[in-house]
Amino acid sequence: MGRSPHPLGAFAVLAAAAASLLAVAAAAGPVSAREPGRSETPVASGSPVTDVTESAVRVRVPLPASAAPHPAACDWLSYLRFRHKDGPASSAAADRILIAQPGILEGAGAFDSVARNTVSAAAKSGRHIEFWALDRRSNCLEDGTGIQAGLRAKDFHLAVDYYYRQKEVDGRKFAGYQTNDQVTWLQNVGLEQTVRDQYDLMVRELPDPAARKRKMMCGGHSLGGVLTAFFAEWDFDGDHSTTDDAGYNQCSGYFALDTRISTSLPGAGGGFPADWVPLLRFGAGAVRAGLETGVVPRALSAPAVVNTETMNLLAIAGLAARLDPGGVSDLATYVPPSSNTDTTYRILFSKDYPTFLKGSPAVKDFRFTNAAALGGLLDDNSQPLAFMQASLGFWDGGKIVDKEFPAPNDLEGIGLGGLSRLLGTEKKAIPDEPNGPLYSWRNFDRVGAPDDPVHRSKDGTPFTSAGEEVTDIAELARSLSEHPLDFTEHYFPTKLVTDIALAAAPGIADDAVHGNGVTANPTLNLEAEGGLGGDPRPGDVVAPGYQHIDVLTASAVQNGGRPEPVSANLAAFAAG
């Protein structure tokens, strides 16, 4: 992360700007669903990486007795297990296991592409590794029934009907998005619970301490790097004089995906800006009282773009783009209007401030394919927040102009170059023919092709080039909608970030005592050239053309036939 703004900073600025992701024996095979306290279910996938198998694992690890009342599903920990089809059935027999913490607003499904590509690359060198993508405990609150039903029926409208029109699916009706009063128990899910969940899961799944130390490598994406650092320093048995239980002794190495393995939040001298959660300036007691009374939201949320509903809308958009990428999108009209969705669309699809203020032309005045609608939501030339950007290709099919909202493209020229870490390094673009042609999406591997019209910014330079595009939009659409553990995170616990901000206060991180934990094992830093990981340091692997999300989603084969550098280097690190 270096000295660059953290993805949480992007979230905070958005909120302001809008006013407003069981024990098993060492020699045993996978435990079946019949064994109490653990289940493992195969996940069918349409991934082009066909030599990797996936399963969803659930392990029962109840919350402590002191936890507030919570759904029974939240007494389970979950992860996606990726392994090679020819590899050993038992995790204990794998050569290495990579265990990854997701970033803010991310779920286990976000690691889909990098996990598959890494496992496949390692197998080519004769090593059978596994990749475990963790889901945070709070993701137990998500209801994926509508997405999975739409996927089975091959109709994304069914998902919208389930979430918005009370359509019953498999005898179930959507109970609605959880309110602040309904997630009271999240006020107790902070840093300690999160790192302990990882430890408990590792111990349950690989009980032999020597095997964990030899085989497991710990890391994460974005905020996952900070969590990995705290995990490395944590003492889990309460006896600070012993170290067998220390986090760093559960791992043989660390990996950082566009982040750093560091307990300091960058962007404010290692601190956490108090205006993100105003009660922070009054200390841990005030924050605790704020969470207990509900004055501080127990799950991070903004009135638009970043909240429970919009995170789910990304999955719905991904489902539509997966099922019918060239079909005309009716997402903006089929989803019932609300102040949340209307504001979100206005932020994401306004070309300038007058358009945003008038609300016209609106997104419903344009014709997009389903793929183009998804590209408009997440591409680095469209999405205004760097921590949500991927390099997916570019608009096609009609006139394209500079998108100058919420900030002008010429940040350097007006002395605001420092905002590029918040808003991204690529110029923003937007369709400019309402009630006109059908705008389609030129996938990453078609940018620069002979039929590419090469859309240009007002300064005459192309908006993008082949070297700046790395993620297949079809694969992103699949990752957003395929997994039983979602790509996005709908209920991110506020206490997790306030605990990190106040880690020095008594009672928050008292067990993070092994200060040498972060440096006790070798670290591989895998940074996106245009991401949030900070200034490159000696030994870093910097992926050219990548944005923050691309380190998770990039295609195994890049433009020009280049191998994908993140997974290739991660596989080599795991094989070492």
Side-chain angles (χ1 to χ4, degrees), residues 362 427 454 465:
K427 292 181 178 180
V454 188
S465 66

Side-chain angles (χ1 to χ4, degrees), residues 140-475:
C140 63
L141 295 171
E142 297 178 11
D143 181 358
T145 303
I147 300 297
Q148 294 300 311
L151 182 60
R152 291 194 303 271
K154 298 188 183 333
D155 184 0
F156 92 93
H157 297 96
L158 180 58
V160 178
D161 291 343
Y162 177 77
Y163 293 114
Y164 289 94
R165 295 185 173 87
Q166 288 295 293
K167 183 179 179 63
E168 189 173 289
V169 172
D170 298 330
R172 178 171 182 167
K173 286 187 176 181
F174 183 52
Y177 297 109
Q178 300 284 289
T179 66
N180 195 41
D181 290 340
Q182 292 174 305
V183 296
T184 302
W185 66 280
L186 286 185
Q187 70 194 34
N188 300 313
V189 179
L191 181 59
E192 179 177 6
Q193 188 65 56
T194 300
V195 296
R196 183 163 292 280
D197 283 349
Q198 179 174 340
Y199 176 80
D200 287 345
L201 182 67
M202 292 169 71
V203 170
R204 295 287 292 275
E205 293 292 86
L206 204 64
D208 181 1
R212 288 198 300 276
K213 177 60 179 173
R214 184 174 66 255
K215 291 178 178 288
M216 286 192 155
M217 308 187 86
C218 304
H221 175 243
S222 193
L223 186 70
V226 178
L227 295 174
T228 299
F230 275 104
F231 178 86
E233 294 189 355
W234 214 269
D235 188 276
F236 288 98
D237 70 354
D239 182 352
H240 296 175
S241 67
T242 63
T243 59
D244 286 350
D245 61 292
Y248 69 87
N249 272 326
Q250 316 310 309
C251 316
S252 61
Y254 310 123
F255 58 96
L257 297 166
D258 205 40
T259 184
R260 294 284 176 189
I261 308 299
S262 170
T263 58
S264 295
L265 285 171
F272 191 105
D275 55 354
W276 295 2
V277 179
L279 283 180
L280 278 172
R281 67 181 75 252
F282 299 108
V287 171
R288 182 171 59 253
L291 288 168
E292 289 174 352
T293 60
V295 171
V296 174
R298 297 172 180 115
L300 282 179
S301 183
V305 181
V306 178
N307 55 57
T308 301
E309 181 183 14
T310 54
M311 290 299 103
N312 200 38
L313 279 172
L314 287 176
I316 295 173
L319 179 61
R322 179 185 182 187
L323 295 174
D324 188 14
V328 179
S329 173
D330 61 356
L331 185 67
T333 54
Y334 196 74
V335 173
S338 69
S339 60
N340 177 48
T341 55
D342 290 350
T343 304
T344 296
Y345 293 147
R346 286 174 71 174
I347 290 173
L348 296 179
F349 291 98
S350 291
K351 70 175 180 179
D352 51 28
Y353 273 88
T355 301
F356 175 75
L357 294 173
K358 290 188 303 180
S360 177
V363 64
K364 66 179 183 297
D365 297 323
F366 292 84
R367 298 174 67 233
F368 302 115
T369 65
N370 287 314
L374 179 61
L377 291 171
L378 292 173
D379 185 68
D380 58 347
N381 294 113
S382 304
Q383 164 61 237
L385 295 174
F387 80 105
M388 293 179 67
Q389 292 175 1
S391 307
L392 305 171
F394 200 73
W395 301 103
D396 213 351
K399 181 183 177 183
I400 306 295
V401 299
D402 289 72
K403 175 176 166 55
E404 307 266 23
F405 178 86
N409 273 332
D410 187 19
L411 291 173
E412 294 288 347
I414 60 175
L416 295 177
L419 286 178
S420 62
R421 284 294 182 183
L422 170 64
L423 304 175
T425 57
E426 303 305 306
K427 292 181 178 180
K428 304 302 180 283
I430 194 166
D432 195 39
E433 293 184 78
N435 305 307
L438 176 64
Y439 283 92
S440 58
W441 193 258
R442 178 170 291 270
N443 201 12
F444 87 106
D445 57 353
R446 295 295 299 162
V447 171
D451 64 342
D452 187 349
V454 188
H455 296 281
R456 296 178 181 272
S457 174
K458 62 185 179 182
D459 66 3
T461 60
F463 280 109
T464 190
S465 66
E468 298 172 290
E469 304 299 337
V470 302
T471 291
D472 187 330
I473 196 168
E475 281 303 284

